[in-house]
């Protein structure tokens, strides 16, 4: 029987998605669950509820807490972490590149590397140069990939992904959804999402 | 040496605080951490960030998720749970009674019972009758306790507690704070808060 599937919804600007992206592949392998990386954009979803930036910027106490919580959680996982500036960064371009790359076999490694660039190396993930460097390191033709990522096909597929996320009830990132319609929100629900996927198999 | 202390901030209208209130005493005893129950009100804190009701009512997708998440988590803990109607309920009166009771030795049991009344028995925790029934079951003189809870002293102490919470950076419930100024938010951070308190001892 095929491994059960868990969809992993992430936005490249999302801090807690960095932790989930770092953790999900080994955990899923151990759980014998097949993870599908599904980059999307929180921006349109936030906009629909009246927010024009990250809630961590809109609500000061919540933002202050989040940065401290991220520090503690990253330390617990022995993951390097530094607060990016600016925050949040526009995640449109890396999301398009990732979507293209997922069809080419390098999308997952690219996604993990984008998080690393932003939350460890203080890189600007909205700059093509940053993404080109990552692509080169993955032995991908950077110019061709960046061009393909801006094609109408990829643009329209990313819009469809945002709509699909919304229809599944996704309102934040990271989120995890299962084939039987369960939604789990937050890096701290990853283990439960994997268990749910296993049971549904 | 005295046991380290962890402050447990809760609002009686908070769903996830029900889970934390049910879990915290045995977990703290096992961790040899002394927990201080600190009832407070989220209302003034939400109001300060422009919300006039629970964010779970303001943001529909978030609310829908929370009810499902609560169902799953309660099932995992073998805790009964039903969605109260209306939600949220005014938590002012039970918070005052709990604050009074914490000085009398029955505040913790009362708090756990208020959550049970609201999230299991479908009781109205803003009604004196519900609270009087709980008090009687705890062998407390209900009339005297309800009167004491409405004294100027308790009213003013509850206002101070809300201010203290705000100054510690609390923006949601449940929250946990340690003597060295760490803040942990959410039922799912309880274990980490206890570990942090132990280390600081």
């Amino acid at each position: 029987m095929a491994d059960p599937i868990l969809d992993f919804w992430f936005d490249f600007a999302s801090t807690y998605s960095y932790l989930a992206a770092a953790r999900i592949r080994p955990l899923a392998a151990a759980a014998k669950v097949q993870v599908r990386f599904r980059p999307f954009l929180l921006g349109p979803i936030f906009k629909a509820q009246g927010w024009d930036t990250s809630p961590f910027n809109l609500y000061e106490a919540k933002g202050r807490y989040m940065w401290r919580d991220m520090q503690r959680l990253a330390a617990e996982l022995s993951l390097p972490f530094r607060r990016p500036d600016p925050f949040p960064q526009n995640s449109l371009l890396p999301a398009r590149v990732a979507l293209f790359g997922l069809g080419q076999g390098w999308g997952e490694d690219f996604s993990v590397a984008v998080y690393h660039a932003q939350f460890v190396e203080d890189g600007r993930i909205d700059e093509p140069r940053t993404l080109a460097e990552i692509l080169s390191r993955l032995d991908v033709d950077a110019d061709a990939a960046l061009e393909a990522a801006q094609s109408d096909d990829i643009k329209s597929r990313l819009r469809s992904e945002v709509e699909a996320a919304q229809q599944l009830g996704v309102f934040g990132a990271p989120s995890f959804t299962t084939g039987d319609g369960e939604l789990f929100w937050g890096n701290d629900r990853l283990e439960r999402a994997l268990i749910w996927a296993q049971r549904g198999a």
Side-chain angles (χ1 to χ4, degrees), chain A residues 49-124:
Chain A
Q49 44 191 51
W51 298 341
D52 59 359
T53 181
S54 163
F56 297 124
N57 289 351
L58 290 172
Y59 304 110
E60 200 190 325
K62 196 168 185 147
R64 210 164 37 231
Y65 172 76
M66 182 274 287
W67 294 114
R68 178 62 184 146
D69 193 44
M70 279 294 299
Q71 272 186 333
R72 287 189 309 232
L73 294 173
E76 190 180 306
L77 296 165
S78 301
L79 274 179
F81 175 73
R82 64 185 278 181
R83 180 175 171 165
D85 179 30
F87 174 84
Q89 294 182 15
N90 190 324
S91 51
L92 178 62
L93 183 58
R96 285 178 178 164
V97 176
L99 203 54
F100 172 69
L102 286 163
Q104 308 289 315
W106 47 261
E108 296 190 8
D109 288 338
F110 173 80
S111 297
V112 170
V114 169
Y115 281 115
H116 196 266
Q118 181 181 202
F119 292 114
V120 181
E121 295 161 0
D122 206 22
R124 289 288 301 254

Side-chain angles (χ1 to χ4, degrees), chain A residues 101-174:
Chain A
L102 286 163
Q104 308 289 315
W106 47 261
E108 296 190 8
D109 288 338
F110 173 80
S111 297
V112 170
V114 169
Y115 281 115
H116 196 266
Q118 181 181 202
F119 292 114
V120 181
E121 295 161 0
D122 206 22
R124 289 288 301 254
I125 62 163
D126 49 355
E127 287 182 1
R129 201 180 43 178
T130 308
L131 306 183
E133 274 171 32
I134 293 171
L135 292 165
S136 301
R137 261 182 272 144
L138 296 173
D139 284 325
V140 173
D141 181 335
D143 290 340
L146 285 166
E147 199 185 317
Q150 301 282 36
S151 67
D152 287 342
D153 173 48
I154 293 290
K155 285 180 182 177
S156 131
R157 276 175 49 204
L158 183 57
R159 276 193 297 269
S160 300
E161 286 294 272
V162 174
E163 279 163 30
Q166 262 173 314
Q167 271 167 14
L168 290 164
V170 170
F171 58 92

